Amino acid sequence: MRPRQRALTAIGVAGLLARVAYVIRAADGTAVLSDLYWTAFGVLPMFAVAVWLVRRRPGHPQAHRLLLLAVAMAVGVGVEGPLRQMITAIDPGRWLAPLNLVGQYCNLTAMVAGGVLVATYPDGLVERRWQRWLVRGLWANLALPPLLLLTNPTLVFDAWLYDGPGRVPSPLAVSWLAPLGPPLAELYAGAYGIVLALPVLLARYLLAGQEQRRRMRLLVYFMATAMLIIMTGNALRWLGVPDDAPALLLIGTLYWPMVLGLPAIIVFGVLRYRLFDVDVAFRRSVVYGALTLGIAVAYVAVAAAPGLAFGSRIPVELAVLLTVVAAVAFQPLRRRLEAVADRLVFGAKVNRYQLLTAFGAGLEQTVDLPELLPRLADTVRRGLAAPWVRVSLPVSMPGAEAAAGEPQGAAALSVPLERDGQAVGRIECGSKDGGYDQADRELLTTLAAQATTAIANLRLTAQLAERLDELAASRARIVAAQDTERRRIERDIHDGVQQHVVALITKIRLARNALQRSERPADTVLAEVQADATELLADLRELAHGIHPPVLSDRGLVEAIETRADRLPIAVEVLAAPALRERRFGEEVEGAAYFVVCEALTNVVKHAAASTAVVELAATNGHLSILVRDDGTGAGAAAGSIYANGHGLTNLRDRVEALGGSLRIDGNPGTGTQLTAELPVGASRG
């Protein structure tokens, strides 16, 4: 606390002590014990909160303004007793004018400090230049006390001290300034100076963001209601309505709730929203209890107001009846105010059963993760009244993160999204006032379980869709490959076998003509035809071998691969268990395995610059495993692979996956390449 603030605090304590001492000392009836109600329930709580805030945040302008307001109120109640005693005395004495001046300055200082505090609520800042000028203009009210001494022939007292005709001459009155006296006295009595704070407060509220409006809303509503009541009372006085009229008496009974309401709202704002950057560990139940008590007091005051206002004009029975009617009439308003207080302190209540039901029903229409995750985050936030909620999944998944609110700081509550013991994500909740209880954790766990199942289903659906797309694409590639293969066979037959057949037919015709004319010996002609037929047979066998090698059908997979390996220009070692050499697999499996090995060895010869290659075959766990490795340059993942030329690898992968198998290629530059294929035994083309 700074020296100036210590001095103000000491002055405020002195004012409170003076008030208490005067009430205790007074024995002549001039001080009424009921006057301590305002000191105990209005001034003292405000002063205590102001001192506490200044100790916590001595540099915050709002804390200093609140202290100035509280000290002015404390000094005001301190001088009120002696001032009232002097006013009612036969001989007021020469100290009445200075003491009245102190009282006026206390009232105006409290009004100005309160006006600035209200206009700049809650952070102490204004956003526009015109707002700053109006706030500064509030301090002009402090010029009123000396002006009242100069313009009024008699001293001007506060209405609650003395409201009779002027009886004490002003020591500084100037006769030619007398016309200004009544309007200045009315300006002081009506406290119109605080009106400058209202447009600033209203403009800042209308231009504020949602969070700032939430903090300002209660004060704005209170000030609007209070100013409406005050302006109504002043307007009635201007119209000549006497002070003892029922309407003004009724308005007068509402002043106490209004006067007590401003400090109560400021204290509530500090505790509820942690204003002035003060982190308060304050139980919500205490805040709610204080609000409920305040509403009850206001309700009693409003209910009793008609009876008090008209009690001197109507029979007691009728006054009691009015009180009962008012109590019944305002009971719904009281319940509404208590509901508002409950919502302000504890937040809007959520039916958690309905929340879970609605979330579960919404999962039926959710088709992808970018839709599910924001819905989950929003549901958790509403159910737990959390300031923010974040749902995160592995970054490899689409829409891997969603948030409700603005995540700030570390999470106060977090649960994993688990499926079959594996974490698939996490839900994190920001810290909130009062923390999270066991019911919150149970709700979050239930929502997490529902969401985990939905996420797993959506992932399976996405994977299935990808597999279906890949299956459709692979089938299209297989059809295209089959068409290409048919065209190749057609070309081979047309360019090779067909030409041999045509030539053979021509030679047979020539041989027949030669035999008829006896131009050449029959043996010579038939030998040439036999040679051509033998060559044609070799071409047919070569063509058939390219489509499906006979050795594969006759002697099995291992010998077919060995036969193919013997025809290659590099050394190829084929490793297989003896039992595997005698075992036969389905035609589709053997064909796919054979062509996988042939394509792999062909790429090794063409692109790997290898000197040796190894082919390993094994049958385990219902699968035929094929491994082809070489000692060549290697297939880099980022660089071009030795299997990336043409469409051979794609066709092989399609052929293997069509049988329910898998194919993988591993390798790094300089370490050779390894191709691994797995084929389910007995699988057939679907």
Side-chain angles (χ1 to χ4, degrees):
M1 189 181 295
R2 297 173 180 176
R4 183 176 57 177
Q5 293 166 343
R6 291 194 184 97
L8 285 174
T9 302
I11 293 173
V13 171
L16 292 172
L17 293 177
R19 178 60 177 170
V20 174
Y22 180 81
V23 172
I24 295 175
R25 181 177 56 84
D28 56 359
T30 58
V32 182
L33 188 61
S34 61
D35 289 343
L36 282 180
Y37 290 164
W38 166 239
T39 303
F41 298 106
V43 180
L44 185 59
M46 177 74 77
F47 183 77
V49 172
V51 172
W52 173 71
L53 284 178
V54 167
R55 289 177 61 87
R56 296 293 299 270
R57 293 299 306 277
H60 201 290
Q62 292 292 69
H64 184 73
R65 291 163 186 162
L66 190 63
L67 179 64
L68 184 61
L69 168 63
V71 170
M73 293 168 62
V75 176
V77 297
V79 302
E80 181 179 325
L83 188 57
R84 181 185 285 114
Q85 185 176 6
M86 288 183 182
I87 293 173
T88 57
I90 297 177
D91 182 13
R94 61 179 182 174
W95 292 104
L96 177 60
L99 193 61
N100 186 52
L101 194 65
V102 172
Q104 289 176 340
Y105 267 115
C106 287
N107 296 332
L108 289 173
T109 301
M111 183 192 73
V112 171
V116 176
L117 181 67
V118 167
T120 60
Y121 186 85
D123 52 12
L125 303 175
V126 291
E127 297 79 16
R128 303 287 189 274
R129 179 180 296 179
W130 67 268
Q131 296 173 0
R132 287 192 290 273
W133 280 110
L134 286 182
V135 170
R136 292 169 184 169
L138 286 168
W139 295 99
N141 287 276
L142 298 183
L144 278 176
L147 290 177
L148 293 176
L149 288 174
L150 293 172
T151 58
N152 285 274
T154 58
L155 295 181
V156 176
F157 301 110
D158 292 300
W160 61 85
L161 295 175
Y162 178 76
D163 198 20
R167 57 181 297 271
V168 181
S170 172
L172 300 178
V174 178
S175 59
W176 57 272
L177 293 177
L180 299 177
L184 289 177
E186 181 63 26
L187 181 63
Y188 171 77
Y192 297 108
I194 199 173
V195 173
L196 294 176
L198 297 182
V200 179
L201 177 65
L202 181 61
R204 294 183 63 244
Y205 177 76
L206 295 176
L207 297 175
Q210 182 177 1
E211 181 63 24
Q212 189 79 330
R213 279 193 180 190
R214 189 166 64 91
R215 296 178 176 182
M216 298 175 65
R217 184 175 295 119
L218 187 60
L219 179 64
V220 170
Y221 291 169
F222 172 81
M223 291 300 298
T225 304
M227 292 310 300
L228 178 62
I229 294 174
I230 293 174
M231 292 301 181
T232 301
N234 292 337
L236 292 176
R237 291 188 180 92
W238 285 342
L239 294 175
V241 177
D243 290 340
D244 59 349
L248 287 178
L249 290 175
L250 179 61
I251 291 175
T253 58
L254 299 177
Y255 281 169
W256 269 98
M258 289 189 304
V259 173
L260 292 173
L262 181 60
I265 288 174
I266 293 176
V267 171
F268 169 77
V270 172
L271 298 178
R272 175 66 177 88
Y273 298 112
R274 298 182 177 180
L275 300 182
F276 314 149
D277 299 327
V278 175
D279 188 7
V280 186
F282 199 83
R283 294 296 300 174
R284 292 187 177 190
S285 56
V286 177
V287 177
Y288 178 69
L291 280 178
T292 305
L293 178 61
I295 293 171
V297 172
Y299 170 72
V300 172
V302 171
L308 295 175
F310 306 130
S312 60
R313 298 173 177 270
I314 59 177
V316 176
E317 294 81 1
L318 185 56
V320 173
L321 180 61
L322 284 176
T323 302
V324 173
V325 171
V328 174
F330 285 101
Q331 179 63 19
L333 177 61
R334 176 188 179 183
R335 288 198 298 266
R336 182 67 181 271
L337 291 175
E338 289 178 347
V340 171
D342 181 77
R343 185 167 63 252
L344 286 172
V345 176
F346 297 103
K349 287 187 168 46
V350 178
N351 188 318
R352 297 189 169 185
Y353 174 76
Q354 294 180 354
L355 187 76
L356 291 172
T357 303
F359 180 69
L363 294 179
E364 298 178 0
Q365 287 78 38
T366 304
V367 296
D368 55 14
L369 288 177
E371 180 184 355
L372 169 63
L373 298 189
R375 179 179 296 177
L376 173 60
D378 181 68
T379 301
V380 173
R381 186 187 185 193
R382 288 189 292 113
L384 274 62
W388 59 265
V389 174
R390 178 171 54 214
V391 182
S392 56
L393 302 179
V395 295
S396 59
M397 300 180 63
E401 184 173 297
E406 298 181 1
Q408 295 178 351
L413 179 62
S414 176
V415 298
L417 299 172
E418 293 184 338
R419 180 72 172 178
D420 297 331
Q422 295 183 350
V424 298
R426 181 166 291 276
I427 303 177
E428 298 173 307
C429 305
S431 60
K432 68 173 183 177
D433 297 341
Y436 298 96
D437 54 23
Q438 185 61 32
D440 293 333
R441 292 179 172 82
E442 292 176 357
L443 175 63
L444 185 58
T445 302
T446 304
L447 286 172
Q450 284 186 324
T452 302
T453 303
I455 291 172
N457 292 338
L458 290 176
R459 292 178 64 182
L460 290 176
T461 302
Q463 292 174 359
L464 179 58
E466 292 177 0
R467 294 295 297 273
L468 289 175
D469 292 341
E470 179 61 26
L471 179 59
S474 65
R475 286 185 172 180
R477 290 193 296 267
I478 289 174
V479 170
Q482 289 175 342
D483 291 341
T484 301
E485 185 66 13
R486 282 194 293 268
R487 287 192 294 269
R488 183 188 68 80
I489 295 172
E490 181 182 358
R491 286 194 304 270
D492 290 345
I493 293 175
H494 179 274
D495 297 338
V497 176
Q498 181 176 322
Q499 299 302 322
H500 280 95
V501 171
V502 171
L504 181 59
I505 293 173
T506 301
K507 282 190 176 184
I508 292 174
R509 185 173 63 248
L510 292 174
R512 184 183 63 186
N513 293 335
L515 290 175
Q516 290 177 352
R517 294 192 298 268
S518 300
E519 294 177 355
R520 298 175 62 190
D523 290 343
T524 302
V525 174
L526 293 176
E528 291 177 359
V529 173
Q530 182 180 5
D532 290 340
T534 302
E535 186 177 352
L536 174 59
L537 178 60
D539 289 343
L540 288 172
R541 285 178 174 175
E542 185 66 24
L543 179 62
H545 189 276
I547 299 173
H548 191 82
V551 67
L552 181 61
S553 300
D554 297 339
R555 290 184 285 178
L557 177 63
V558 177
E559 291 196 28
I561 292 175
E562 290 175 338
T563 301
R564 175 62 177 170
D566 291 341
R567 299 169 61 186
L568 296 176
I570 64 172
V572 179
E573 182 180 7
V574 180
L575 303 177
L580 191 61
R581 293 179 177 272
E582 305 297 331
R583 184 173 177 180
R584 301 304 302 268
F585 303 96
E587 180 180 348
E588 296 291 334
V589 175
E590 288 186 341
Y594 176 78
F595 284 108
V596 164
V597 174
C598 290
E599 182 68 24
L601 293 176
T602 299
N603 281 280
V604 169
V605 172
K606 290 182 178 180
H607 309 293
S611 59
T612 61
V614 176
V615 179
E616 297 183 16
L617 302 174
T620 56
N621 299 326
H623 284 76
L624 175 62
S625 300
I626 305 166
L627 186 146
V628 180
R629 66 176 186 272
D630 62 72
D631 60 354
T633 56
S641 168
I642 68 170
Y643 292 93
N645 298 275
H647 301 285
L649 176 61
T650 302
N651 294 337
L652 286 181
R653 192 184 301 277
D654 290 342
R655 191 164 188 170
V656 169
E657 291 181 353
L659 298 175
S662 63
L663 186 143
R664 188 180 74 253
I665 297 175
D666 302 302
N668 292 307
T671 61
T673 305
Q674 178 174 294
L675 180 146
T676 305
E678 296 281 342
L679 288 169
V681 176
S684 61
R685 201 182 298 272

